[in-house]
Amino acid sequence: MVRWRSGTVTAVRREWSGAVELAVTLPDDSTMRALAYPELVGRPRVGDRVLLNVGALLMGLGTGGYALVVALPDRLPPDPPAPADNRAGGHLVKARYTPLQPILLGVDEEASPHRAALADADDLGGLPVVTADLHSALPAVLAGIRADAPDARVAYLLTDGGALPAWFSRTLAELRGHLAGTISVGQAFGGDLEASTLHSGLLAARHVLHADLAVVAQGPGNLGTGTRWGFSGVAVGEAVNAIAALGGRPVGSLRISAADPRPRHHGVSHHSLTAYGRVALASADLVVPNQLDPALATAVEAALAPLTARHQVRRVPVTGLDAALRASPVPLSTMGRGLDADHAYFLAAAAAGRHAARLAR
């Protein structure tokens, strides 16, 4: 459950779109690294007293390694400008029935300026959509798209298996100028547009952002228990079903690694095999780079063989993709490993992006 602390802001360290990193000193004179979302709690200043949730920090979780600011109890932010007694400002409640539930304007609500575009929308018109297990795949997929389609409009759909606030992701903040927009779906929030479901978010990508391609992935901090079904990435298979149901073209970015020391993630991760092999009921293009290390390539082929009854395995050339990855506007990192430490992982994501770009043409 929640581990509470109270402290005083002693430094504002850095900030990015939607988030502020702080140093907070506790009554015992120890200091914690904390993160505040000004849209939720207001903008902290040095000297402010803050209430913190410190559980993830004390557990040493890599992605969630912050104390999170729950409130500035002595200096509350002003109310939002929209009236509180009607739906003019939206009525989508996300992170529902938690103490910090935000109430937002859904992209397809009656009060939305995009209502007319989405009221009867029901088809993606063949929109290629890349599905990925981890948030770290996003910049690599984008690099693969940009290698072949530098001017394509790319929408990102942030699902709620990881970080709910889009603001948590520094990667996403640095990619803002490289995306047509971010749509936060389900319980996730903080995107350029808000959608209640992945289905409505996909339709918004097509009919509001006018995307040529889209990428679906959870936020940072995926959940996993080390069991076959106990991981948040099972939603990748559900995303394939949603894309196909709406007339889109699912493109699977496989989680491939020769560097992950855990057997369940070596070769093709069991996350990909379960999501695409057991959860996805519709067909997808599963993308494999055509120049993997021979031993890894053999393992990948064997792992994917049972999936070919439903899916199409697409072997994609990788010429130019290494250079595209190295030119990424944001650092590439997955599970603490950079591009050279886990090259196959990023190459597979970039190849999926390249394949989607070619479908879009």
Coordinates of all heavy atoms in Angstrom, one line a residue, residues 112-176:
S112 N -16.6 18.3 -27.3 CA -15.3 18.3 -28.0 C -15.4 19.0 -29.4 O -16.4 18.7 -30.1 CB -14.8 16.9 -28.2 OG -13.7 16.9 -29.1
P113 N -14.5 19.7 -29.8 CA -14.5 20.3 -31.2 C -14.4 19.2 -32.2 O -14.6 19.5 -33.4 CB -13.3 21.2 -31.2 CG -12.4 20.8 -30.1 CD -13.3 20.2 -29.0
H114 N -14.0 18.0 -31.8 CA -13.8 16.9 -32.8 C -15.0 15.9 -32.8 O -15.0 14.9 -33.4 CB -12.6 16.1 -32.4 CG -11.3 17.0 -32.3 ND1 -10.9 17.8 -33.3 CD2 -10.6 17.2 -31.2 CE1 -9.8 18.4 -32.9 NE2 -9.6 18.1 -31.6
R115 N -16.1 16.3 -32.1 CA -17.2 15.4 -32.0 C -17.8 15.0 -33.4 O -18.1 13.9 -33.7 CB -18.3 16.1 -31.2 CG -19.7 15.4 -31.2 CD -19.7 14.2 -30.4 NE -21.0 13.6 -30.2 CZ -21.4 12.7 -29.4 NH1 -20.5 12.2 -28.6 NH2 -22.6 12.2 -29.4
A116 N -17.9 16.0 -34.3 CA -18.5 15.8 -35.6 C -17.7 14.8 -36.4 O -18.2 13.9 -37.1 CB -18.7 17.1 -36.3
A117 N -16.4 14.9 -36.3 CA -15.5 14.0 -37.0 C -15.6 12.6 -36.5 O -15.3 11.6 -37.3 CB -14.0 14.5 -36.9
L118 N -15.9 12.4 -35.2 CA -15.9 11.0 -34.6 C -17.3 10.5 -34.3 O -17.4 9.3 -34.0 CB -15.1 11.1 -33.3 CG -13.6 11.4 -33.5 CD1 -12.9 11.5 -32.2 CD2 -12.9 10.3 -34.3
A119 N -18.3 11.3 -34.5 CA -19.6 10.8 -34.0 C -20.0 9.5 -34.7 O -20.6 8.6 -34.1 CB -20.7 11.9 -34.3
D120 N -19.7 9.4 -36.0 CA -20.1 8.2 -36.8 C -18.9 7.4 -37.3 O -19.0 6.5 -38.1 CB -21.0 8.5 -37.9 CG -22.3 9.1 -37.4 OD1 -22.9 8.5 -36.5 OD2 -22.8 10.1 -37.9
A121 N -17.7 7.8 -36.9 CA -16.4 7.2 -37.4 C -16.4 5.7 -36.9 O -16.7 5.4 -35.8 CB -15.2 7.9 -36.8
D122 N -16.0 4.9 -37.9 CA -16.1 3.4 -37.6 C -15.0 2.6 -38.3 O -15.0 1.4 -38.3 CB -17.5 2.9 -38.0 CG -17.7 1.5 -37.4 OD1 -17.4 1.3 -36.2 OD2 -18.3 0.7 -38.1
D123 N -14.1 3.3 -39.0 CA -13.2 2.6 -39.9 C -11.8 3.4 -40.0 O -11.8 4.6 -40.0 CB -13.8 2.5 -41.3 CG -13.0 1.5 -42.1 OD1 -12.0 1.9 -42.8 OD2 -13.3 0.3 -42.1
L124 N -10.8 2.6 -39.9 CA -9.4 3.2 -40.0 C -8.9 3.3 -41.4 O -7.8 3.8 -41.7 CB -8.4 2.4 -39.2 CG -8.7 2.4 -37.7 CD1 -7.7 1.5 -37.0 CD2 -8.6 3.8 -37.1
G125 N -9.6 2.7 -42.4 CA -9.3 2.8 -43.8 C -7.9 2.2 -44.1 O -7.1 2.7 -44.9
G126 N -7.5 1.1 -43.4 CA -6.3 0.4 -43.7 C -5.1 1.1 -43.0 O -3.9 0.8 -43.4
L127 N -5.3 1.9 -42.0 CA -4.2 2.6 -41.3 C -3.2 1.6 -40.8 O -3.6 0.7 -40.0 CB -4.7 3.5 -40.2 CG -3.7 4.2 -39.4 CD1 -3.2 5.4 -40.2 CD2 -4.3 4.7 -38.1
P128 N -1.9 1.6 -41.1 CA -0.9 0.7 -40.5 C -0.7 1.2 -39.0 O -0.4 2.4 -38.8 CB 0.3 0.9 -41.3 CG -0.1 1.6 -42.6 CD -1.3 2.4 -42.2
V129 N -0.7 0.3 -38.1 CA -0.6 0.6 -36.7 C 0.5 -0.4 -36.1 O 0.2 -1.7 -36.2 CB -1.9 0.5 -35.9 CG1 -1.6 0.9 -34.5 CG2 -3.0 1.3 -36.5
V130 N 1.6 0.1 -35.6 CA 2.6 -0.8 -35.0 C 2.2 -1.0 -33.5 O 2.0 0.0 -32.8 CB 4.0 -0.1 -35.1 CG1 5.0 -1.0 -34.5 CG2 4.3 0.2 -36.6
T131 N 2.2 -2.2 -33.1 CA 2.0 -2.5 -31.7 C 3.3 -3.0 -31.1 O 4.0 -3.8 -31.6 CB 0.9 -3.6 -31.6 OG1 1.4 -4.8 -32.3 CG2 -0.4 -3.2 -32.1
A132 N 3.6 -2.5 -29.9 CA 4.9 -2.8 -29.2 C 4.6 -3.1 -27.7 O 3.7 -2.4 -27.1 CB 5.9 -1.7 -29.3
D133 N 5.4 -3.9 -27.1 CA 5.2 -4.3 -25.7 C 5.7 -3.2 -24.8 O 5.1 -2.9 -23.8 CB 6.0 -5.6 -25.5 CG 6.0 -6.1 -24.1 OD1 5.1 -5.8 -23.3 OD2 6.9 -6.9 -23.7
L134 N 6.9 -2.7 -25.1 CA 7.5 -1.7 -24.2 C 7.5 -0.3 -24.7 O 7.7 -0.1 -25.9 CB 9.0 -2.2 -23.9 CG 9.2 -3.5 -23.3 CD1 10.6 -3.9 -23.1 CD2 8.5 -3.6 -21.9
H135 N 7.5 0.7 -23.8 CA 7.5 2.1 -24.2 C 8.9 2.4 -24.9 O 8.9 3.3 -25.8 CB 7.4 2.9 -23.0 CG 7.2 4.4 -23.2 ND1 6.1 5.0 -23.8 CD2 8.1 5.4 -22.9 CE1 6.3 6.3 -23.9 NE2 7.5 6.6 -23.4
S136 N 9.9 1.7 -24.5 CA 11.2 1.9 -25.1 C 11.3 1.7 -26.6 O 12.3 2.1 -27.2 CB 12.3 1.1 -24.4 OG 12.0 -0.3 -24.4
A137 N 10.3 0.9 -27.1 CA 10.3 0.7 -28.6 C 9.9 1.9 -29.4 O 10.2 2.0 -30.6 CB 9.4 -0.5 -28.9
L138 N 9.2 2.8 -28.7 CA 8.6 3.9 -29.5 C 9.6 4.7 -30.3 O 9.4 4.9 -31.5 CB 7.9 4.9 -28.5 CG 7.4 6.2 -29.1 CD1 6.4 5.9 -30.3 CD2 6.7 7.1 -28.1
P139 N 10.8 5.2 -29.7 CA 11.7 6.0 -30.6 C 12.3 5.1 -31.7 O 12.7 5.6 -32.7 CB 12.7 6.5 -29.6 CG 12.6 5.6 -28.4 CD 11.2 5.2 -28.3
A140 N 12.5 3.8 -31.4 CA 13.1 3.0 -32.4 C 12.1 2.7 -33.6 O 12.5 2.7 -34.7 CB 13.6 1.6 -31.8
V141 N 10.9 2.5 -33.2 CA 9.9 2.3 -34.3 C 9.8 3.6 -35.1 O 9.8 3.6 -36.4 CB 8.5 2.0 -33.7 CG1 7.4 2.1 -34.8 CG2 8.5 0.7 -33.0
L142 N 9.8 4.8 -34.4 CA 9.8 6.0 -35.1 C 11.0 6.2 -36.0 O 10.9 6.7 -37.2 CB 9.7 7.2 -34.1 CG 9.4 8.6 -34.7 CD1 8.0 8.6 -35.4 CD2 9.4 9.6 -33.5
A143 N 12.2 5.8 -35.6 CA 13.4 5.9 -36.4 C 13.2 5.1 -37.7 O 13.6 5.5 -38.8 CB 14.6 5.4 -35.6
G144 N 12.6 3.9 -37.6 CA 12.4 3.0 -38.7 C 11.4 3.7 -39.7 O 11.6 3.6 -40.9
I145 N 10.4 4.3 -39.2 CA 9.4 5.0 -40.0 C 10.1 6.1 -40.8 O 10.0 6.3 -42.0 CB 8.3 5.5 -39.2 CG1 7.4 4.4 -38.7 CG2 7.4 6.5 -40.0 CD1 6.4 4.8 -37.7
R146 N 10.9 7.0 -40.0 CA 11.5 8.1 -40.6 C 12.6 7.8 -41.6 O 12.9 8.6 -42.5 CB 12.1 9.0 -39.5 CG 11.1 9.6 -38.5 CD 10.3 10.7 -39.2 NE 9.3 11.3 -38.3 CZ 8.0 11.4 -38.6 NH1 7.6 10.9 -39.7 NH2 7.2 11.9 -37.8
A147 N 13.2 6.6 -41.5 CA 14.2 6.2 -42.5 C 13.6 6.1 -43.9 O 14.3 6.4 -44.9 CB 14.8 4.8 -42.1
D148 N 12.3 5.7 -44.0 CA 11.7 5.6 -45.3 C 10.6 6.6 -45.6 O 10.3 6.9 -46.8 CB 11.1 4.2 -45.4 CG 12.1 3.1 -45.6 OD1 13.3 3.4 -45.4 OD2 11.8 2.0 -46.0
A149 N 10.1 7.2 -44.6 CA 9.0 8.1 -44.7 C 9.2 9.3 -43.8 O 8.5 9.5 -42.8 CB 7.6 7.5 -44.5
P150 N 10.1 10.2 -44.1 CA 10.5 11.3 -43.2 C 9.4 12.3 -42.9 O 9.4 12.9 -41.9 CB 11.7 11.9 -43.9 CG 11.6 11.5 -45.3 CD 11.0 10.2 -45.3
D151 N 8.4 12.4 -43.8 CA 7.4 13.4 -43.6 C 6.0 12.7 -43.2 O 5.0 13.5 -43.1 CB 7.2 14.1 -44.9 CG 8.4 14.9 -45.3 OD1 9.1 15.4 -44.5 OD2 8.7 14.9 -46.6
A152 N 6.0 11.5 -42.9 CA 4.8 10.8 -42.5 C 4.3 11.4 -41.1 O 5.0 11.7 -40.2 CB 5.0 9.3 -42.3
R153 N 2.9 11.5 -41.0 CA 2.3 11.9 -39.8 C 2.1 10.7 -38.9 O 1.4 9.7 -39.3 CB 1.0 12.6 -40.1 CG 1.1 14.0 -40.7 CD -0.2 14.6 -41.0 NE -1.0 14.8 -39.7 CZ -0.8 15.8 -38.9 NH1 0.2 16.7 -39.1 NH2 -1.5 16.0 -37.8
V154 N 2.7 10.7 -37.8 CA 2.7 9.5 -36.9 C 2.0 9.9 -35.6 O 2.5 10.8 -34.9 CB 4.2 9.0 -36.6 CG1 4.1 7.7 -35.8 CG2 4.9 8.7 -37.9
A155 N 1.0 9.1 -35.2 CA 0.3 9.3 -34.0 C 0.8 8.2 -33.0 O 1.0 7.1 -33.4 CB -1.2 9.2 -34.1
Y156 N 0.9 8.6 -31.7 CA 1.2 7.6 -30.7 C 0.0 7.5 -29.7 O -0.5 8.5 -29.2 CB 2.5 8.1 -29.9 CG 2.7 7.3 -28.6 CD1 2.9 5.9 -28.7 CD2 2.9 7.9 -27.4 CE1 3.1 5.2 -27.6 CE2 3.1 7.2 -26.2 CZ 3.2 5.8 -26.3 OH 3.5 5.1 -25.2
L157 N -0.3 6.2 -29.5 CA -1.4 5.9 -28.5 C -0.8 5.3 -27.3 O -0.2 4.3 -27.3 CB -2.4 5.0 -29.2 CG -3.3 5.7 -30.2 CD1 -2.7 5.3 -31.6 CD2 -4.7 5.3 -30.1
L158 N -0.9 6.1 -26.2 CA -0.4 5.6 -24.9 C -1.4 4.8 -24.1 O -2.5 5.4 -23.7 CB 0.0 6.9 -24.1 CG 0.4 6.7 -22.6 CD1 1.9 6.2 -22.6 CD2 0.3 7.9 -21.8
T159 N -1.2 3.5 -24.0 CA -2.1 2.7 -23.3 C -1.7 2.7 -21.8 O -0.7 3.2 -21.4 CB -2.1 1.3 -23.9 OG1 -0.8 0.7 -23.8 CG2 -2.6 1.3 -25.3
D160 N -2.6 2.1 -21.0 CA -2.5 2.2 -19.5 C -1.8 1.1 -18.8 O -2.0 0.9 -17.6 CB -3.8 2.6 -18.9 CG -4.9 1.5 -19.3 OD1 -4.6 0.4 -19.7 OD2 -6.1 1.8 -19.1
G161 N -1.0 0.3 -19.5 CA -0.3 -0.8 -18.8 C 0.9 -0.3 -17.9 O 1.3 -1.1 -17.1
G162 N 1.4 0.8 -18.3 CA 2.6 1.4 -17.5 C 2.2 2.7 -16.9 O 1.1 2.8 -16.3
A163 N 3.0 3.7 -17.0 CA 2.8 5.0 -16.4 C 1.4 5.5 -17.0 O 1.2 5.6 -18.2 CB 3.9 6.0 -16.7
L164 N 0.5 6.0 -16.1 CA -0.7 6.6 -16.5 C -0.5 8.0 -17.1 O -1.0 8.3 -18.1 CB -1.8 6.5 -15.4 CG -2.2 5.1 -14.9 CD1 -3.3 5.3 -13.9 CD2 -2.6 4.2 -16.1
P165 N 0.3 8.8 -16.4 CA 0.4 10.2 -16.9 C 1.5 10.2 -18.1 O 2.6 9.7 -17.9 CB 1.0 11.0 -15.7 CG 0.9 10.1 -14.5 CD 0.9 8.7 -15.0
A166 N 1.0 10.7 -19.2 CA 2.0 10.8 -20.3 C 3.2 11.7 -19.9 O 4.3 11.5 -20.4 CB 1.3 11.5 -21.5
W167 N 3.0 12.6 -18.9 CA 4.0 13.5 -18.5 C 5.2 12.8 -17.9 O 6.3 13.4 -17.8 CB 3.4 14.5 -17.5 CG 2.1 15.1 -17.9 CD1 1.9 15.7 -19.1 CD2 0.9 15.2 -17.1 NE1 0.6 16.2 -19.1 CE2 0.0 15.9 -17.9 CE3 0.6 14.8 -15.8 CZ2 -1.3 16.2 -17.4 CZ3 -0.7 15.1 -15.4 CH2 -1.6 15.8 -16.2
F168 N 5.0 11.6 -17.4 CA 6.2 10.9 -16.8 C 7.3 10.6 -17.8 O 8.5 10.5 -17.4 CB 5.7 9.5 -16.2 CG 6.8 8.8 -15.4 CD1 7.1 9.1 -14.1 CD2 7.5 7.7 -16.1 CE1 8.1 8.4 -13.5 CE2 8.5 7.1 -15.4 CZ 8.8 7.4 -14.1
S169 N 7.0 10.4 -19.1 CA 7.9 10.0 -20.1 C 8.8 11.2 -20.6 O 8.3 12.0 -21.3 CB 7.2 9.3 -21.2 OG 8.1 9.0 -22.3
R170 N 10.0 11.2 -20.3 CA 11.0 12.2 -20.9 C 11.1 11.9 -22.4 O 11.3 12.8 -23.2 CB 12.3 12.1 -20.2 CG 12.3 12.6 -18.7 CD 13.6 12.9 -18.2 NE 14.5 11.7 -18.1 CZ 14.4 10.9 -17.0 NH1 13.6 11.1 -16.0 NH2 15.2 9.8 -17.0
T171 N 11.1 10.6 -22.7 CA 11.2 10.3 -24.2 C 10.1 10.9 -24.9 O 10.3 11.5 -26.0 CB 11.1 8.7 -24.3 OG1 12.3 8.2 -23.8 CG2 11.0 8.4 -25.8
L172 N 8.8 10.8 -24.4 CA 7.7 11.4 -25.1 C 7.8 12.9 -25.2 O 7.4 13.5 -26.2 CB 6.4 10.9 -24.4 CG 5.1 11.2 -25.1 CD1 5.1 10.6 -26.5 CD2 3.9 10.6 -24.3
A173 N 8.3 13.5 -24.1 CA 8.4 15.0 -24.1 C 9.4 15.4 -25.2 O 9.1 16.4 -25.8 CB 8.9 15.4 -22.7
E174 N 10.4 14.7 -25.4 CA 11.4 15.1 -26.4 C 11.0 14.7 -27.8 O 11.6 15.2 -28.8 CB 12.8 14.4 -26.0 CG 13.4 14.9 -24.7 CD 14.7 14.2 -24.4 OE1 15.5 13.9 -25.3 OE2 14.9 14.0 -23.2
L175 N 10.0 13.8 -27.9 CA 9.5 13.5 -29.3 C 8.3 14.3 -29.7 O 7.8 14.1 -30.8 CB 9.1 12.0 -29.3 CG 10.2 11.0 -29.3 CD1 9.7 9.6 -29.2 CD2 11.1 11.1 -30.5
R176 N 7.9 15.3 -28.9 CA 6.7 16.0 -29.2 C 6.7 16.6 -30.7 O 5.8 16.6 -31.4 CB 6.5 17.1 -28.2 CG 6.0 16.7 -26.9 CD 5.7 17.8 -25.9 NE 4.6 18.6 -26.4 CZ 3.3 18.4 -26.1 NH1 3.0 17.3 -25.4 NH2 2.4 19.2 -26.5

